[in-house]
Amino acid sequence: MEMALDQARLALSHGDVPVGAVAVKGGMVIASAHNERELRGDPTAHAEILVLRASAAKLKTWRLSGTTVYVSLEPCPMCAGALVAGRVARVVYAAADEKAGAAWSLYNIVQDPRLNHNCKLTSGVLAAESAEILQSFFSDKRKKLQPF
């Protein structure tokens, strides 16, 4: 999770929401990424999507069985769906996302028994650290928007 938080901090350099993700298989890091929506001008350039793409390229398969994805913020519906579609074995996230979380908070797409695949789920790992990074980012954004 520390590596995912390091990735999240990298997103700050280009004004993206600080979310990072790391994919691990067999005890080895296979990919890491951070949000790049602002950088790429791409609404799908979430950390999880980018780490899934990089993992699939490295492993030469879209089936990411046996892979664990660590992410600094609870996945949104798009990312949760992609994690399930990629057959990720386990998702570990830090901070919950009460407004858009789809791995427990609002929805639980990653463990919905109606789907053809489910991910094991662990939440709250280094949650306070992740929340601090996110809160600082949004606090700074609000300050910049104030006219005085």
Side-chain angles (χ1 to χ4, degrees):
M1 188 59 73
E2 289 284 351
M3 292 177 72
L5 292 174
D6 289 343
Q7 282 293 317
R9 290 181 191 96
L10 292 174
L12 296 169
S13 69
H14 44 80
D16 272 288
V17 175
V19 177
V22 175
V24 175
K25 184 170 184 172
M28 301 291 294
V29 173
I30 55 173
S32 59
H34 55 274
N35 275 0
E36 294 186 4
R37 292 184 308 169
E38 298 297 333
L39 182 66
R40 295 179 185 220
D42 178 353
T44 69
H46 289 206
E48 300 94 323
I49 299 298
L50 298 176
V51 86
L52 288 172
R53 289 177 182 159
S55 297
K58 182 158 187 175
L59 299 174
K60 297 180 177 28
T61 180
W62 63 268
R63 289 179 182 88
L64 303 176
S65 305
T67 301
T68 297
V69 172
Y70 296 86
V71 61
S72 61
L73 181 65
E74 181 179 1
C76 72
M78 174 183 69
C79 294
L83 291 160
V84 169
R87 309 296 194 269
V88 169
R90 182 175 174 218
V91 176
V92 180
Y93 68 84
D97 186 347
E98 301 297 327
K99 294 181 180 179
W104 189 258
S105 294
L106 290 180
Y107 309 101
N108 193 0
I109 293 171
V110 298
Q111 293 185 317
D112 190 323
R114 297 169 293 179
L115 299 175
N116 65 335
H117 176 76
N118 289 274
C119 307
K120 292 179 183 173
L121 183 62
T122 304
S123 62
V125 178
L126 298 180
E129 291 87 338
S130 178
E132 167 70 30
I133 296 167
L134 289 158
Q135 289 167 353
S136 178
F137 171 79
F138 286 112
S139 176
D140 289 349
K141 273 192 110 45
R142 283 190 295 277
K143 287 176 188 171
K144 289 177 184 172
L145 293 174
Q146 293 178 354
F148 44 84

